[in-house]
């Protein structure tokens, strides 16, 4: 296994802020030399124990011999690159490392040779051991590790032995200068294609020119000055440099950063480097933009299952020699770039659907991206790399390599071959869920942070860093290290703060310094939120909640007496609305044309009223069209005067309901598509999707988990029929032409949507069910359903529920279990619909569960409701009526904290314009005693009111409360704000 670095799982977030020397790099791609990897190599020794030893205890190992493996980030990435380059006809990847002259030397050289690597520039250091990782692994998988640097850290000196031995007698400056000159000469020779070492073995008759590097890949498990020397040589030759930030917790050496084109931290490393939050994609983009302002030419971040993001940029300014750039903590030689394009790439499905070991996933991803760069993807398009499709290809290639790596155990054993990556791309690369898209909202976040960091002063930067939980180091650098102080009272909005970036002027300045908090910067016992400056755009958004609402169609069965009693009032209201529409038509036309319009409006009104009399699904659709959401509680008087005019006379939308979800087969059996379309058109609503409802016969013992394979097959077949309806409704949703603006927006996006809740997939007693068999059956059934629905361009979402009278225990009792099933199924069009009542039943936090699913790109739908939980089941009460704080927090997260595409490639919105929205919000309530129209209005008003209140909380400083983890602070704001 690889040691001393934390790895992501299977998704990756990539922020690449394009190199400022883009023309030189673009020209270099024509050379097509090999990838050059400079880094560490370890002998990983694993000792298997029944349990880890306690202090002073001697243990007998479970196995007579340890397990040996080649490790180290450098070796992992070099081998990954060799496997991914094999069969392409290009020169073998070159690996430069330091090996010890020990018993493992022959074995290590043989392993590297078998991988197909050119190690001609690697050096065997006499009298020194190879780097080593020693792991104690107990029977439960817990491990304790020790890393020995060996030749990785001590073997890079090029001074002659006699010179080195007498170095203490010479001036320290002279020795350092001579050492640096020798290393620079060695690095330049290696980058140019030579061995850089007279004693190194030859690779044959291959010319040095043919071995000139195309891309340099570095990691931080070797000394920083070594990386700096190779990066400087590559930059001088116009060769792009990618630096993996893993392996070292200190700030990046400024001399190294000034030559790096892509700095590649994972999420934790990005937090340490910047001191900024990274919970959302916008925050990650802002942190990357801050690094760019401090001198990083590009930033590549891996964030487990949150996908990939690439930002491309242009040079903005270059600091004068010896003059520090603003916001860089006094570091000289810094340059700034500005982002100009953002590309979002989703993660690819994991083969087999199960993540087994993510140890080498990041190494595989970065190596694959470097290989793609060597092959000309990215900057080859002739336009500086900003407009072409090469980066999308490179990202998909890297995502495929990472997805394969997490599906297998071990580090090097998990690295994929070229053929495996290409096969995964054949299977999933053309899927809509695998396609990249531009992300202007992330570009904006990075640009704001870069601009703020570029224009800010050092003091302003320190203040923003303190707001993120860090503070300045003494000396020539700024950094975030363990034990630093924090000042949450001065927290600022992520993505807009000016920050001082952790860049060390020298290795020494990175290691020293302390934080001394002044009285004004000390963390208060109770956080006092800081009022933000007026934000007109955010304030305007209070009244523009973008959620598209629907309501449980069966709720419209209730209180028919309320509906029938008001027919006399509905008639004049409908007539007034239609007459107004007709008058508008008459003013635009003349004579018979106007009369025809008036007659059509009258006929439409009569059809609406006739439809309301039907106590069936189509009549319930018409009743949902009555729902309005004016300010204040409706009361009987407002219900007597329903406002028309939505979409030229339709009753729905315009602040009320927007979409309808039909149960299948319950609502749609026996109806034609034309009948459903007409009912929706008359009500001014759009079809949101289809919800599966499996009948008790024959599914009482389970639908997708039924022990009878024939019944499971019947359940899948029935659900596929539901997909067919969802596809037809999605394809024809906008055909009516008279929808309200909000309903038309709801109707625009494909694909269709099928929500699956199976009340019978569970059990009542212990010792009743085979959980493993049920899980396997569910995985296979959902896989079959997802594949069939994908062919119809329909997204499928599972609605988990912990308990129901039909099955006291569900096989999917909570969000984590359901998300795990989605991962096991491994289909991009399978996600979750989260029901707030079900989340409360499961004891979950509404906002946390929604945020986790959205971060995975699987939030396909929302059901909003509330309840007391006194019945042992869901109550289906008005949203926020019982758990008001939880509901408000959910709306805050929906407005500010979710990624821009919470459903991944299936997010609702305008893909061409790069504008994406939240999933449909359906009020899944049970108004048994209330007028369901008024109850739906109350739900809409509650949700819209909480959306607006979330904005007021944000502007009053709630982000500071969250940054400080201060619950009393948040409660105080809620009490003080209307």
């Amino acid at each position: 296994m690889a040691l001393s670095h934390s790895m992501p799982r299977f998704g990756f977030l990539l922020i690449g802020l394009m190199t400022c020397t883009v023309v030189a790099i673009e020209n270099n791609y024509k050379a097509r030399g090999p990838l050059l990897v400079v880094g560490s190599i370890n002998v990983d020794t694993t000792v298997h124990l029944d349990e880890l030893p306690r202090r002073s205890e001697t243990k007998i190992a479970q196995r007579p011999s340890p397990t040996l493996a080649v490790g180290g980030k450098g070796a992992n990435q070099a081998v990954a690159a060799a496997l991914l380059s094999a069969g392409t006809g290009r020169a073998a990847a070159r690996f430069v490392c330091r090996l010890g002259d020990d018993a493992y030397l022959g074995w290590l050289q043989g392993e590297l040779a078998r991988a197909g690597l050119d190690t001609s520039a690697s050096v065997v250091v006499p009298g020194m051991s190879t780097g080593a990782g020693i792991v104690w692994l107990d029977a439960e998988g817990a491990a304790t590790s020790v890393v020995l640097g060996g030749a990785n850290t001590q073997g890079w000196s090029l001074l002659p032995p006699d010179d080195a031995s007498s170095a203490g007698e010479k001036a320290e400056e002279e020795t350092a200068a001579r050492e640096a000159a020798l290393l620079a000469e060695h690095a330049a020779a290696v980058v140019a294609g030579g061995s850089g070492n007279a004693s190194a073995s030859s690779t044959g008759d291959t010319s040095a020119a043919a071995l000139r590097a195309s891309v340099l890949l570095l990691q931080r498990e070797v000394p920083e000055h070594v990386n700096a020397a190779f990066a400087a040589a590559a930059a001088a030759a116009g060769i792009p440099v990618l630096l993996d930030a893993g392996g070292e917790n200190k700030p990046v050496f400024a001399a190294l950063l000034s030559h790096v084109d892509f700095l590649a931290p994972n999420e934790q490393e990005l937090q340490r480097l910047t001191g900024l939050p990274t919970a959302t994609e916008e925050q990650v983009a802002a942190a990357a933009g801050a690094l760019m302002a401090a001198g990083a030419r590009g930033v590549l971040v891996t964030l487990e299952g949150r996908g990939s993001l690439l930002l491309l940029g242009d040079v903005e300014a270059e600091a004068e020699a010896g003059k520090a750039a603003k916001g860089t903590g006094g570091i000289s030689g810094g340059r700034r770039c500005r982002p100009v394009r953002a590309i979002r790439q989703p993660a690819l499905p994991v083969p087999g659907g199960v993540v087994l070991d993510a140890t080498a996933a990041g190494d595989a991803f970065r190596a694959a991206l470097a290989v793609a760069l060597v092959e000309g993807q990215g900057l080859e398009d002739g336009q500086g790399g900003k407009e072409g499709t090469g980066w999308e290809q490179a990202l998909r290639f890297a995502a495929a390599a990472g997805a394969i790596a997490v599906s297998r155990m071990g580090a090097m054993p998990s690295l994929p071959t070229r053929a495996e990556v290409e096969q995964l791309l054949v299977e999933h690369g053309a899927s809509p869920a695998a396609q990249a898209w531009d992300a202007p909202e992330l570009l904006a976040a990075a640009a704001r942070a870069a601009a703020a960091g570029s224009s800010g002063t050092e003091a302003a930067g320190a203040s923003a860093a303190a707001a993120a939980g860090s503070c300045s180091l003494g000396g020539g650098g700024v950094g975030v290290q363990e034990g630093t102080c924090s000042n949450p009272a001065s927290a600022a909005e992520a993505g807009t703060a000016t920050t001082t970036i952790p860049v060390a002027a020298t290795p020494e300045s990175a290691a020293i310094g302390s934080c001394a908090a002044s009285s004004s910067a000390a963390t208060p016992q109770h956080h006092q939120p800081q009022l933000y400056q007026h934000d007109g755009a955010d304030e305007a958004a209070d009244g523009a909640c973008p959620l598209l609402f629907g309501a449980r169609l069966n709720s419209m069965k209730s209180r028919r007496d309320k509906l029938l009693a008001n027919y006399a009032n509905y008639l004049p209201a409908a007539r007034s609305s239609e007459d107004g529409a007709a008058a508008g038509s008459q003013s635009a036309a003349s004579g018979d044309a106007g009369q025809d319009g008036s007659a059509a409006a009258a006929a439409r009104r009569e059809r609406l009223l006739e439809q309301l009399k039907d106590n069936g699904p189509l009549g319930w659709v018409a009743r949902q069209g009555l729902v309005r959401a004016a300010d204040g509680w409706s009361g009987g008087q407002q219900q007597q005067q329903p406002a028309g005019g939505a979409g030229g006379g339709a009753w729905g939308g315009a602040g009320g309901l927007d979409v309808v979800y039909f149960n299948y087969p319950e609502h749609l059996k026996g109806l034609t598509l034309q009948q459903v379309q007409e009912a929706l058109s008359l009500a001014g609503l759009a079809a949101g999707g289809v919800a599966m409802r499996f009948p008790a016969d024959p599914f009482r013992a389970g639908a997708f988990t039924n022990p009878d394979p024939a019944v499971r097959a019947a359940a899948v077949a029935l659900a596929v029929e539901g997909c067919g309806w969802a596809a037809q409704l999605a394809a024809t949703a906008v055909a009516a032409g008279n929808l309200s603006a909000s309903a038309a927006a709801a109707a625009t996006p494909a694909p269709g949507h099928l929500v699956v809740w199976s009340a019978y997939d569970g059990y009542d007693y212990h010792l009743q069910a085979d959980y493993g068999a049920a899980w396997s059956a569910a995985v296979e059934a959902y896989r079959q359903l997802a594949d069939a629905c994908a062919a119809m361009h329909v997204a499928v979402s599972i609605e988990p529920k912990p308990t129901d009278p039909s099955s006291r225990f569900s096989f999917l009792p909570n969000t984590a279990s359901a998300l795990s099933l989605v991962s096991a199924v491994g289909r991009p069009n399978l996600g979750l619909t989260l029901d707030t009542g079900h989340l409360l039943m499961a004891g979950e936090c509404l906002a946390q569960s929604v945020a986790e699913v959205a971060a995975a790109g699987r939030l396909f739908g929302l059901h909003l409701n509330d309840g007391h939980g006194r019945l042992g089941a869901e109550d289906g009460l008005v949203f926020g009526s019982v758990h008001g704080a939880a509901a408000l927090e959910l709306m805050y997260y929906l407005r500010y904290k979710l990624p821009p595409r919470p459903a991944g490639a299936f997010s609702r919105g305008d893909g061409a314009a790069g504008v994406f929205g939240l999933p449909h919000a359906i009020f899944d309530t049970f108004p048994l005693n209330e007028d369901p129209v008024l109850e739906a209005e109350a739900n809409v008003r509650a949700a819209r009111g909480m959306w607006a209140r979330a904005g007021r909380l944000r502007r009053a400083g709630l982000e500071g409360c969250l940054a400080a983890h201060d619950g009393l602070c948040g409660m105080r704001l809620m009490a003080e704000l209307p």
Side-chain angles (χ1 to χ4, degrees):
M1 66 174 65
L3 302 175
S4 73
H5 58 284
S6 60
M7 301 311 307
R9 293 185 71 82
F10 56 91
F12 306 88
L13 183 80
L14 167 62
I15 308 252
L17 303 171
M18 179 66 74
T19 175
C20 304
T21 56
V22 80
V23 175
I25 292 175
E26 181 187 347
N27 291 337
N28 178 67
Y29 278 117
K30 312 304 180 185
R32 293 294 194 275
L35 172 66
L36 176 62
V37 183
V38 178
S40 60
I41 182 170
N42 289 335
V43 177
D44 288 349
T45 304
T46 302
V47 179
H48 297 265
L49 303 166
D50 57 350
E51 60 180 14
L52 299 178
R54 289 181 283 272
R55 184 175 181 180
S56 302
E57 181 182 14
T58 300
K59 300 286 294 184
I60 303 298
Q62 289 182 323
R63 302 179 186 178
S65 301
T67 301
L68 298 181
V70 182
K73 290 182 72 66
N76 284 342
Q77 293 180 11
V79 170
L83 292 172
L84 293 170
S85 300
T88 62
R90 304 187 187 281
R94 306 187 72 202
F95 181 38
V96 179
C97 66
R98 292 298 184 261
L99 296 158
D101 185 14
D102 54 21
Y104 298 109
L105 177 59
W107 170 66
L108 290 171
Q109 289 176 325
E111 291 295 307
L112 296 177
R114 272 191 290 274
L117 285 167
D118 173 0
T119 58
S120 61
S122 294
V123 174
V124 177
V125 184
M128 190 171 291
S129 298
T130 301
I134 302 172
V135 183
W136 292 346
L137 185 67
D138 71 12
E140 296 181 353
T144 297
S145 305
V146 176
V147 177
L148 304 176
N152 287 328
T153 57
Q154 302 297 319
W156 293 90
S157 175
L158 296 174
L159 289 172
D162 56 342
D163 206 356
S165 63
S166 60
E169 301 175 1
K170 301 181 178 181
E172 184 175 332
E173 293 81 0
E174 293 181 5
T175 303
R178 187 164 57 257
E179 178 80 28
L182 289 172
L183 184 58
E185 181 181 352
H186 169 72
V190 172
V191 168
S195 69
N197 175 37
S199 64
S201 60
S202 172
T203 58
D205 58 356
T206 305
S207 67
L211 295 178
R212 181 180 182 273
S214 287
V215 175
L216 174 63
L217 179 58
L218 303 172
Q219 316 80 36
R220 301 185 74 200
E221 290 183 344
V222 299
E224 201 85 325
H225 72 277
V226 174
N227 280 335
F230 276 92
I239 294 169
V241 179
L242 195 158
L243 172 65
D244 185 338
E248 175 60 77
N249 292 331
K250 295 178 182 178
V252 180
F253 188 15
L256 170 60
L257 186 61
S258 64
H259 298 305
V260 169
D261 298 293
F262 298 100
L263 177 64
N266 62 25
E267 181 178 8
Q268 293 73 30
E269 291 156 355
L270 182 64
Q271 290 173 348
R272 286 197 297 268
L273 287 173
T274 64
L276 297 175
T278 59
T280 67
E281 290 184 12
E282 287 86 351
Q283 290 174 337
V284 171
L291 281 177
M292 180 182 65
R297 296 172 179 172
V299 183
L300 168 64
V301 187
T302 53
L303 289 175
E304 299 187 2
R306 291 165 59 185
S308 306
L309 176 69
L310 173 66
L311 275 79
L312 305 176
D314 285 331
V315 63
E316 183 181 57
E318 181 128 16
E320 298 176 9
K323 182 178 179 180
K326 292 182 178 181
T328 62
I331 305 306
S332 63
R335 72 173 76 220
R336 301 190 305 271
C337 297
R338 62 180 183 86
V340 297
R341 184 186 179 193
I343 307 171
R344 179 75 161 82
Q345 169 67 49
L348 268 64
V350 175
V354 179
V355 175
L356 295 179
D357 185 354
T359 302
D363 290 335
F365 182 85
R366 294 181 178 96
L369 185 71
V371 168
L373 293 177
V374 168
E375 295 177 1
Q377 299 178 29
L379 296 177
E380 189 187 28
D381 53 71
Q383 300 182 25
K386 296 182 288 295
E387 302 298 334
T389 60
W391 279 111
E392 288 91 328
Q393 298 169 7
L395 289 174
R396 274 197 296 275
F397 187 74
I404 295 170
V406 302
S407 71
R408 302 193 285 234
M409 295 297 297
M412 281 196 181
S414 73
L415 299 175
T417 65
R418 179 78 175 218
E420 289 172 327
V421 169
E422 290 178 344
Q423 180 59 38
L424 186 63
L425 290 174
V426 168
E427 295 174 357
H428 300 289
S431 167
Q435 304 308 306
W437 64 85
D438 280 67
E441 67 286 342
L442 301 180
L443 174 62
R448 286 195 301 269
S454 299
S455 61
T457 64
E458 188 169 351
S463 174
S470 63
C471 64
S472 299
L473 293 176
V478 174
V480 181
Q481 299 189 21
E482 294 183 5
T484 58
C485 62
S486 63
N487 181 15
S490 61
E493 276 191 79
T496 59
T498 300
T499 185
T500 304
I501 301 304
V503 180
T506 65
E508 291 76 16
S509 68
I512 62 174
S514 61
C515 288
S518 66
S519 59
S520 62
T523 303
Q525 183 176 5
H526 295 297
H527 173 65
Q528 296 295 329
Q530 178 181 354
L531 187 65
Y532 286 98
Q533 294 182 352
H534 174 71
D535 187 336
D538 189 65
E539 188 171 344
D542 287 354
C545 176
L547 285 168
L548 296 177
F549 296 114
R552 177 172 163 268
L553 193 56
N554 279 349
S555 69
M556 295 296 147
K557 297 178 183 179
S558 302
R559 299 305 304 268
R560 295 286 297 174
D561 57 314
K562 292 286 187 181
L563 178 67
L564 298 175
N566 281 317
Y567 269 130
N569 294 317
Y570 292 144
L571 184 61
R575 178 180 295 117
S576 174
S577 171
E578 298 297 346
D579 288 348
S585 299
Q586 289 172 346
S587 66
S590 61
D592 294 340
Q595 295 175 3
D596 291 343
S598 178
R604 177 180 171 81
R605 180 189 67 240
E606 294 305 321
R607 292 200 308 273
L608 276 167
L609 297 176
E610 189 64 27
Q611 193 80 71
L612 279 170
K613 298 176 183 178
D614 175 25
N615 190 18
L618 301 184
W620 305 335
V621 169
R623 199 174 184 186
Q624 287 197 340
L626 302 178
V627 175
R628 311 302 304 161
D631 292 336
W633 288 86
S634 297
Q637 182 61 35
Q638 183 171 340
Q639 178 62 24
Q640 294 172 6
Q641 300 293 333
W651 294 5
L657 299 182
D658 305 289
V659 296
V660 178
Y661 274 70
F662 295 92
N663 290 352
Y664 186 82
E666 177 187 352
H667 295 153
L668 296 171
K669 274 294 189 185
L671 294 178
T672 66
L673 179 62
Q674 182 178 355
Q675 289 175 307
V676 175
Q677 278 185 275
E678 182 178 1
L680 290 168
S681 176
L682 289 171
L685 300 171
V690 173
M692 282 305 302
R693 292 296 182 266
F694 294 98
D697 184 17
F699 302 112
R700 188 173 295 280
F704 291 168
T705 62
N706 196 290
D708 186 343
V711 177
R712 295 200 300 270
V716 172
L718 186 64
V720 170
E721 293 178 11
C723 271
W725 266 101
Q728 293 182 82
L729 291 171
T732 60
V734 295
N738 66 332
L739 304 181
S740 66
S742 56
T748 299
H753 186 198
L754 180 76
V755 184
V756 179
W757 170 61
S758 179
Y760 302 105
D761 279 323
Y763 56 97
D764 295 325
Y765 297 98
H766 298 294
L767 302 178
Q768 175 184 346
D770 184 330
Y771 310 120
W775 180 268
S776 298
V779 168
E780 180 58 29
Y782 277 111
R783 192 169 289 163
Q784 294 174 11
L785 175 61
D787 288 344
C789 293
M792 295 182 251
H793 202 37
V794 173
V796 180
S797 63
I798 303 170
E799 181 185 351
K801 183 180 181 182
T803 184
D804 188 82
S806 300
S807 52
R808 271 69 170 186
F809 289 89
S810 169
F811 286 129
L812 296 177
N814 51 46
T815 300
S817 178
L819 199 55
S820 179
L821 180 71
V822 169
S823 177
V825 172
R827 296 298 188 265
N829 65 322
L830 183 65
L832 298 182
T833 287
L834 295 185
D835 183 297
T836 57
H838 300 174
L839 296 177
L840 292 169
M841 292 166 62
E844 299 183 36
C845 170
L846 308 185
Q848 181 182 6
S849 295
V850 167
E852 289 174 355
V853 176
R858 302 290 182 165
L859 185 63
F860 286 10
L862 280 171
H863 288 179
L864 304 180
N865 51 53
D866 210 333
H868 300 288
R870 293 174 57 86
L871 304 178
E874 59 182 328
D875 295 333
L877 301 182
V878 170
F879 177 58
S881 59
V882 179
H883 297 87
L888 177 59
E889 182 186 40
L890 172 59
M891 296 303 289
Y892 187 90
Y893 266 72
L894 291 175
R895 181 167 177 178
Y896 294 113
K897 293 291 193 179
L898 298 192
R901 296 197 63 164
F906 297 92
S907 298
R908 180 180 56 81
D910 184 357
V915 179
F916 301 96
L918 297 166
H920 296 154
I922 308 304
F923 299 113
D924 194 354
T925 56
F926 296 81
L928 301 180
N929 300 312
E930 298 80 25
D931 185 325
V933 173
L934 296 182
E935 192 263 2
E937 291 178 1
N939 274 302
V940 174
R941 277 195 307 279
R944 293 187 183 278
M946 281 184 272
W947 179 273
R949 196 178 184 202
R952 294 194 292 274
L953 288 172
R954 169 89 162 194
R955 295 188 294 277
L958 182 59
E959 284 296 315
C961 304
L962 300 180
H965 285 208
D966 191 340
L968 296 179
C969 167
M971 285 187 276
R972 184 164 57 253
L973 284 181
M974 286 193 292
E976 293 172 353
L977 292 177

